Amino acid sequence: MNGAPLLRLEGVRKSFRGVHAVTDASFAVARGSITGLIGPNGSGKSTTIDCLSGFQRPDAGRVLLDGQDITGLPAHLVARAGLRRSFQQVRLFDALSLRDNLMQAAQAADGVGWLGAVLRSPALRRAELAAAERAWLLLDQIGLTRLAESPAGALSYGQKKLAALAAALMPRPRLVVLDEPMAGVNPSRIVEVEAILRRLNAAGETFLIVEHNVDCIMRLCHEVVVFEQGRTLTSGPPAMVRDDPRVLEAYLGVPAAA
Ligand SMILES: Nc1ncnc2c1ncn2[C@@H]1O[C@H](COP(=O)(O)OP(=O)(O)O)[C@@H](O)[C@H]1O
Ligand SMILES: [Mg+2]
């Protein structure tokens, strides 16, 4: 996790007709980390990830991905630069098998043109073989190998979320942003999803996770960024953030008892 951060936000700002949604988002995501983003409702988390992923254009500030300035780029160019948002950018095709959905996700991203497809060029065949191998690896990592040939439409809600995550990972993004990955997940399954994210992280994936479930963030993340009223309040390892009286105050809205 050494070296320059994979993602850095510097003074990102965004207002909506006078509503100051984000006044100063400044934080970094280390390469190889699982970084969490938490904060009370309305503190600007969603607007911030919209700004860094190209779904909103920041009014000010900079977003750097691996040193490249991606500020204000539209979402598809941000995705091409290697930053993918799971769920929003991933659509599963119900009639296709889980495996074919993953193959499709790779193809949609790898830019092999129609001419290559017509000629069945060696480059295309190599890309297909690599994608097939990656699909099996990811299916194993999310624990759904046994459902590889099942139509995506037959998967449970939780399985679909995992499939969408695997699809987002197919084109080997540098960073994946997860928006509330535990929302709607059966509480008895949360630890299982955490284990999957840890396994993917151990295999080299970097995650930025926005999540309401603070306990889950504290267990899972190497670094936690805390938002309050549109700005970064603090960031640090979970144990440090948890003991910070300002964080308790931000959540409870009152000074923490001495
Ligand atoms: N499109 C929008 N138009 C007007 N106000 C918005 C819009 N999006 C967010 N806001 C406001 O900006 C603030 C931050 O919202 P948001 O980023 O959704 O916070 P969070 O995700 O932390 O709950 C809130 O006060 C919200 O009402
Ligand atoms: Mg939100």
Side-chain angles (χ1 to χ4, degrees):
M1 270 187 264
N2 292 325
L6 182 55
L7 180 75
R8 179 187 285 287
L9 271 73
E10 296 171 350
V12 167
R13 247 191 314 147
K14 180 73 186 177
S15 301
F16 300 100
R17 290 196 209 100
V19 178
H20 300 294
V22 174
T23 52
D24 180 10
S26 300
F27 63 90
V29 175
R31 198 183 309 276
S33 73
I34 305 181
T35 297
L37 181 53
I38 61 171
N41 264 331
S43 58
K45 305 181 296 296
S46 294
T47 306
T48 297
I49 60 167
D50 282 349
C51 283
L52 65 85
S53 53
F55 288 84
Q56 292 282 353
R57 214 186 148 83
D59 298 332
R62 292 210 304 166
V63 182
L64 302 167
L65 180 67
D66 218 356
Q68 184 194 348
D69 195 333
I70 58 164
T71 317
L73 289 185
H76 72 279
L77 292 183
V78 173
R80 196 176 298 167
L83 190 159
R84 305 259 302 176
R85 234 171 121 166
S86 183
F87 314 141
Q88 279 90 350
Q89 282 175 357
V90 174
R91 216 172 101 224
L92 294 176
F93 297 95
D94 282 354
L96 289 184
S97 72
L98 177 51
R99 197 182 68 90
D100 284 344
N101 265 284
L102 298 193
M103 294 299 288
Q104 200 281 332
Q107 230 176 59
D110 75 7
V112 176
W114 63 270
L115 190 59
V118 168
L119 298 175
R120 308 282 308 162
S121 69
L124 177 68
R125 286 237 304 285
R126 271 198 305 278
E128 257 179 25
L129 282 174
E133 199 173 311
R134 183 150 175 86
W136 286 118
L137 176 73
L138 289 170
L139 284 172
D140 180 46
Q141 286 172 328
I142 63 169
L144 293 184
T145 304
R146 69 187 188 287
L147 296 177
E149 305 305 339
S150 302
L155 302 178
S156 73
Y157 176 77
Q159 289 166 342
K160 277 184 183 161
K161 282 190 86 155
L162 291 173
L165 172 60
L169 290 167
M170 276 302 291
R172 299 177 184 276
R174 298 160 196 254
L175 171 67
V176 177
V177 178
L178 303 180
D179 205 350
E180 308 258 348
M182 301 304 175
V185 173
N186 188 317
S188 67
R189 286 284 161 96
I190 284 183
V191 170
E192 206 175 304
V193 177
E194 284 176 20
I196 288 168
L197 292 174
R198 265 191 214 102
R199 198 180 306 150
L200 291 167
N201 173 248
E205 310 296 345
T206 304
F207 293 110
L208 173 61
I209 303 181
V210 181
E211 179 54 54
H212 264 114
N213 187 331
V214 174
D215 289 340
C216 159
I217 288 289
M218 293 294 177
R219 284 192 298 265
L220 195 56
C221 295
H222 305 105
E223 189 85 3
V224 179
V225 180
V226 185
F227 266 54
E228 186 203 23
Q229 294 182 23
R231 60 187 192 91
T232 312
L233 176 67
T234 187
S235 63
M240 253 181 64
V241 164
R242 194 185 302 131
D243 292 340
D244 189 331
R246 290 174 305 166
V247 174
L248 204 56
E249 192 182 327
Y251 269 93
L252 300 178
V254 292

